[in-house]
């Protein structure tokens, strides 16, 4: 049963994120209601609309904006819904898209063109929104700057390379295998570092003539944090959206202030930014990177592959 301002979506595809792993394992201080349905990246067809919904039609092909907010606070009114105190995500504190159907506020429904496959559409929302907000909104990346993208094979990493190149930056990307580094080059990376064979900091110094990079895209966390800070040039900005290897990051505070560095947190992005990146995908300037498509029945195996970091880009579940 849907509310008057809601839409019921028949799910066709749902992409995985590391958030799905964290939710499954449990998070300190967070109580989930069970049964719980994960999945934040949702694409499908509109199956039913509420009585008050006039701008969404049954049968439309859509993606579902992953963020849920109150819609009426100061931040929401300013278009910064990701800063709403009640902000959450499908698949986190609300049931997500690893199901045949999902209900959503009508405001979260965004149409997609007939030419876009559901699997491609599902690979867009979370990582494109996150990477755009990190690079463009928070770090304010400028043409000609150097950017270090950690974990190029991740969803955020594979998109960050593309966005940084679109903005006119020089990209240095890291990964653990030569196969992933080759794919990073195909996406536009100007230089690559195999972090399983070389020290990231040493290589960044070599590639930049000891200057360092202007921006670091950090989402690995504890394992890379200290050296990520050391990779920054004078006035550099480190922007982080996650901590997949641990939450405890340390560094010398003297380095922070003596080099005029900025440490920036970034959480998702606004709904208007999602419209921006979606248009860039439709125009062919950015593209979703899909490692593989698997049936929903193999969701457990998909989680295993994500945990092992065997993918490059997104793993998408087909419903």
């Amino acid at each position: 049963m849907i509310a008057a301002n809601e839409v019921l979506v028949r799910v066709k595809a749902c992409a995985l994120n590391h958030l799905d792993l964290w939710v499954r394992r449990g998070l300190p201080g967070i109580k989930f209601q069970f049964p719980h349905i994960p999945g934040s990246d949702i694409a499908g067809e509109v199956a039913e609309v509420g009585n008050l919904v006039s701008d969404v039609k049954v049968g439309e092909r859509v993606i579902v904006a992953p963020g849920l907010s109150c819609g009426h606070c100061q931040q929401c009114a300013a278009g910064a819904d990701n800063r709403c105190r009640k902000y959450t995500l499908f698949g986190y504190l609300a049931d997500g898209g690893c199901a045949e159907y999902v209900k959503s506020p009508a405001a979260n429904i965004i149409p997609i063109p007939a030419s876009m496959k559901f699997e491609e559409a599902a690979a867009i929302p979370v990582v494109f929104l996150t990477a755009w907000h990190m690079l463009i909104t928070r770090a304010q990346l400028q043409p000609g700057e150097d950017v270090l993208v950690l974990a190029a094979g991740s969803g955020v990493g594979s998109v960050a390379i593309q966005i940084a190149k679109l903005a006119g930056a020089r990209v240095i990307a890291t990964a653990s295998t030569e196969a992933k580094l080759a794919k990073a080059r195909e996406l536009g990376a100007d230089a690559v570092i195999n972090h399983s064979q070389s020290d990231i900091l040493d290589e960044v110094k070599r590639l930049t003539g000891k200057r360092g990079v202007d921006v670091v895209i950090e989402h690995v966390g504890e394992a890379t944090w200290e050296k990520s800070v050391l990779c920054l040039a004078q006035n550099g900005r480190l922007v982080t959206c996650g901590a997949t290897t641990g939450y405890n990051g340390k560094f010398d505070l003297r380095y922070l202030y003596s080099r005029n560095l900025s440490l920036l947190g970034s959480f998702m992005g606004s709904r208007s930014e999602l419209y921006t990146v979606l248009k860039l995908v439709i125009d062919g300037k950015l593209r979703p990177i899909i490692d593989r498509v698997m049936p929903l029945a193999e969701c457990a195996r998909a989680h295993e592959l994500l945990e092992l970091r065997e993918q490059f880009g997104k793993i998408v579940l087909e419903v």
Side-chain angles (χ1 to χ4, degrees), residues 17-19 21-22 25 151 154 156 218-224 240-247 306-307 309:
N17 295 283
H18 266 88
L19 177 63
L21 304 183
W22 297 331
R25 296 167 185 162
S154 66
V156 168
E218 167 67 66
H219 51 108
V220 178
E222 191 170 330
T224 57
T240 178
C241 69
T244 56
T245 62
Y247 309 120
L306 193 59
E307 284 178 315
R309 296 184 175 89

Side-chain angles (χ1 to χ4, degrees), residues 119-121 123-124 128 159 162 281 286-290 314:
E119 294 82 4
E120 294 173 335
I124 294 171
F128 276 80
V159 175
Q162 298 180 66
V281 172
L286 299 173
R287 64 185 176 96
I289 306 301
I290 299 174
K314 300 285 282 183

